[in-house]
Amino acid sequence: MGGREELRYKELVESLNDAVYTVNIQTLKFTSVNHAAEKLTGYTKEELLTMTVAQVIAPEFHQLVKQMIALKRKKGESTIYEIEVINKNERRIPIEISSVAISEKGVSVEILGVARDITERKMAERQRNVFISLITHEIKNPLTSVLMYLGILQKRLKNDASSLTYVGNISQQMLAMNQLMTDLLDVTQMRVGKFRVTKEPCDFNEVIAQAVKPFQVSRTINVTGNVAKPVKADKTRIGQVLVNLLSNAVKYSPKNKNIDITIQQDKRTITVGVQDFGQGITKSEQRHIFDPFYRINKSAKSRIKGHGLGLYICHEIIKQHKGKLWVESKKGESLPAGRQGSTFFFTLPVTK
Ligand code: ADP
C-alpha cells in the first residue's frame, strides 16, 4: 500500500463506530487500536497498547475467547461471537466480535478484530422476552380454567357421544396451546437468564417410572438397568426431559410400537438412552434439532403436532445439570425394520 493510501485507510479505520484492533496471537497483547476501541473500553490508546485482551473482557468469557483464538490458529477461520467487555469504570458492555487471523508466511501472527457495542440490541431482546413472558402468563391463567370446565363438561356429557367428541377435540387443542405457552415461558426465562434447576437428592428410578407410566398405555416400553444410589437432580425438570423424549419417540415412530429405555451408571455418570424404531434423523438434520423452533420436514409438520421447542428446552435442562444430551440415529427406508430409528441419550454427573 502506498503512503497516501495507507493514510486514507488509517483515517477510515479511525472514523469507524466499531472498535477495530489487532492483537499478538502469542501474548494476546493489543498491537493497534482505533478511536472507537478507546471509547468502548474507556482506556486511552497508550493504555490499551500495554494491555492484554483478558484485561478488558469479563472473566466468564476468557475460556470462550481462548477457544476462539485456538480455532483461528488451527483453521484460520473467521468467527463471530458475543461476549462482554468490562470498561475502565467497571461497567459491562455486551459486544459482538468478528475476527480473523492474519498470517505471515503461512503462520498466524496476529488477530484482527472488530467489536460492536450491542447494548441496544440486547435491551430490545430483553424487552421482547419480558413481553412474551407477560403475554404467555396472561394466556395461561384463563386457559387453565377453560381446561377445568372442559373436564367437567366431559363428565356431564358422558351419554352424549357426538358432543363428547367435540369437547374432546376442544380439550386437545387447548392442551396443545397450554403446552406451547408453558414452553414459551421456559424459553423466555432461559433467554433472560432466569431459568434455573433446583437439584435435590432424588430416587432416579422412581422419576423414570413416573415418566414412563402414561406412555405404557399405547406402547411397549422396556426399561433395562437402574440407578443404585440417589441422584442430585431436579426431578420435575428431569421428568420433563423424559416425557419430552418419550413423546417424541411416540410421535416419530407411528408404526413400530417398541421403545427401549436403558440406564447405565458408572462411577462418574448416569447415562440414559431413549430408543425408538421410527423414521430416524439424518446427520444434517441432527445438527439442528436442538435449535429453537426447528422441525424436520415441512409435510410432516402438518401431520405431527409440535412447535420445535421441546429438545431446545431439554438441552438447557441437561446443561444446567452439567450433563450432555445428544442423538444417535439411522434413517433410510432401505434399512431392515428394527435397525432404523433414533436414540436420545443424556448424562447426569454422579455427585459424591
Ligand atoms: P417438536 O416435536 O415439538 O417438533 P422437538 O424440539 O421436540 O419439537 O423436536 C424437534 C424436531 O426433531 C422434531 O420436529 C422432529 O422433526 C425431530 N425429532 C425429535 N425427536 C425425534 C425422534 N425421536 N425421531 C425422529 N425425529 C425426531
Side-chain angles (χ1 to χ4, degrees), residues 248 251-252 276 281 289 294-296 306-308 310-311 342 344:
N248 278 351
K251 278 198 296 191
Y252 302 105
D276 66 59
I281 309 165
I289 55 171
Y294 182 84
R295 305 199 70 210
I296 302 168
H307 39 261
L311 287 177
S342 315
F344 283 84

Side-chain angles (χ1 to χ4, degrees), residues 10 12-22 32-41 43-45 48 113-115:
K10 269 192 179 151
L12 177 75
V13 172
E14 278 305 313
S15 68
L16 288 175
N17 275 330
D18 291 341
V20 180
Y21 57 88
T22 52
S32 70
V33 295
N34 71 347
H35 180 58
E38 293 181 294
K39 254 174 68 185
L40 178 71
T41 59
Y43 294 104
T44 63
K45 222 170 242 186
L48 281 171
V114 179

